[in-house]
Amino acid sequence: MIYTGYLDFWFTDLPIVHRIEKFIELGITRYDVWCWRMAPMAEIAAECKQFGARINSTFDEAMGSLADPGDNEITLRSWSESLEMAQQFGVDHLFIFSNQVDIINGKEWTRRLSRNITEAEQYANLLDQTEKIMRLVEQTEVEVWVEGLNEYHIQGGVLVHDHALAADWVRRVDHPQFRLAFDCYHQQRTAGNIIQGMVDYWGLYPTFHIGDCPTRQEPGTGEINFVNISKKLHELGFDGLIGMEFTPSDTEEAAFARVRKLFDPQHPGQEME
């Protein structure tokens, strides 16, 4: 397994570019970045090159809504720009969501659709747009990751808000560069049933995110049983990426030590203190 660190969540007392060196000190060399249009991608990429590290993933905060036919031109244009950025800066993965999410008065809201259409019509448009996007993607080496976003803290309704529909999306598109991101925090917020989901969607997800719930801090700080989850992950034979998309509750060093105690192959699912 390979651990990936989230630049927006860790070492937040430092400028985002300077956080890379702190991750290097922990032995973490792949990084995830939120909202690439607002991030200093050129500087992040240059710092990664200096340390022999990589930008693992990012997403476009202005990608538009795939569920909205009124955004079809926006989504295709934004994906073309995202892929150009990814190739320029060596980004391995790009996230894709069903809806545009905006920050309004400090809270996350899905953007209102351009007209009233049924969820079935939204999903049909999403699948059609995804097919067009993947024609662009397959001209690159970028892999696209689908994520279902929970409706607990994202207001206004998200079409693909759980792993069941996200997995269906992946299976329908059926493309080797289109995969599922399994996120324990979002799954717990939306539906729970994490271990069954790990089994049901096995083979679809190359990355597994381990933020606890409700605080989105490291495993062991909330309600999710990561001891059993880690045991199941090793039983299934997962050898992909462990996404540490959470805010450490104490020091980053202590949070990473807690993660490694749980997920390192030599002691999977070891009880946490």
Side-chain angles (χ1 to χ4, degrees):
M1 283 189 254
I2 297 173
Y3 298 103
T4 75
Y6 271 75
L7 292 179
D8 296 85
F9 286 71
W10 291 47
F11 304 109
T12 54
D13 57 323
L14 297 172
I16 193 166
V17 174
H18 295 170
R19 298 171 196 176
I20 291 171
E21 187 170 0
K22 300 298 289 185
F23 272 115
I24 290 293
E25 292 173 5
L26 293 178
I28 299 167
T29 59
R30 296 197 188 190
Y31 316 119
D32 306 277
V33 184
W34 278 30
C35 306
W36 72 260
R37 292 181 189 273
M38 294 192 294
M41 296 300 291
E43 292 134 79
I44 291 172
E47 191 79 351
C48 284
K49 184 177 181 180
Q50 178 182 339
F51 287 105
R54 294 191 65 81
I55 302 173
N56 181 58
S57 77
T58 188
F59 63 86
D60 184 358
E61 68 275 24
M63 69 174 71
S65 289
L66 292 168
D68 186 355
D71 273 5
N72 284 353
E73 182 179 341
I74 294 172
T75 56
L76 288 178
R77 182 175 67 248
S78 69
W79 269 93
S80 177
E81 292 168 355
S82 289
L83 289 165
E84 181 179 352
M85 176 279 305
Q87 290 180 290
Q88 180 180 357
F89 299 125
V91 179
D92 295 324
H93 310 100
L94 292 172
F95 280 93
I96 192 168
F97 314 120
S98 61
N99 294 78
Q100 171 69 41
V101 178
D102 298 315
I103 306 297
I104 301 174
N105 296 325
K107 295 185 178 181
E108 293 177 280
W109 287 82
T110 51
R111 186 172 297 174
R112 187 189 300 273
L113 299 179
S114 59
R115 59 186 175 88
N116 291 327
I117 57 175
T118 67
E119 288 191 356
E121 291 172 315
Q122 293 176 48
Y123 198 44
N125 190 77
L126 173 148
L127 293 173
D128 184 62
Q129 284 296 100
T130 304
E131 183 180 344
K132 295 174 183 176
I133 289 167
M134 293 310 297
R135 291 176 194 152
L136 301 175
V137 171
E138 62 191 13
Q139 298 174 42
T140 75
E141 295 182 359
V142 174
E143 189 170 87
V144 178
W145 285 348
V146 174
E147 188 169 33
L149 302 178
N150 80 82
E151 295 182 301
Y152 181 86
H153 70 252
I154 300 174
Q155 309 298 309
V158 182
L159 179 63
V160 180
H161 61 270
D162 62 25
H163 284 58
L165 194 54
D168 181 78
W169 186 1
V170 172
R171 285 169 172 149
R172 285 175 185 262
V173 172
D174 190 25
H175 194 289
Q177 288 171 264
F178 196 72
R179 311 293 301 282
L180 175 68
F182 196 109
D183 190 305
C184 292
Y185 172 78
H186 282 297
Q187 177 73 1
Q188 181 70 2
R189 278 294 197 193
T190 301
N193 210 27
I194 293 174
I195 289 178
Q196 188 61 52
M198 292 166 64
V199 174
D200 290 345
Y201 315 134
W202 177 247
L204 300 182
Y205 52 92
T207 185
F208 193 85
H209 293 191
I210 56 172
D212 212 334
C213 191
T215 58
R216 206 172 197 175
Q217 294 174 312
E218 74 269 16
T221 56
E223 66 195 28
I224 300 176
N225 189 335
F226 278 104
V227 171
N228 286 343
I229 285 171
S230 175
K231 289 177 181 177
K232 176 57 70 173
L233 208 58
H234 284 273
E235 178 187 311
L236 290 168
F238 182 80
D239 63 353
L241 301 169
I242 297 289
M244 297 188 293
E245 189 179 17
F246 58 74
T247 300
S249 64
D250 189 5
T251 66
E252 285 79 5
E253 292 80 5
F256 188 41
R258 202 168 197 175
V259 168
R260 294 196 66 180
K261 186 175 181 180
L262 267 172
F263 289 95
D264 274 6
Q266 57 266 36
H267 39 62
Q270 184 170 322
E271 296 288 341
M272 293 178 288
E273 298 177 357

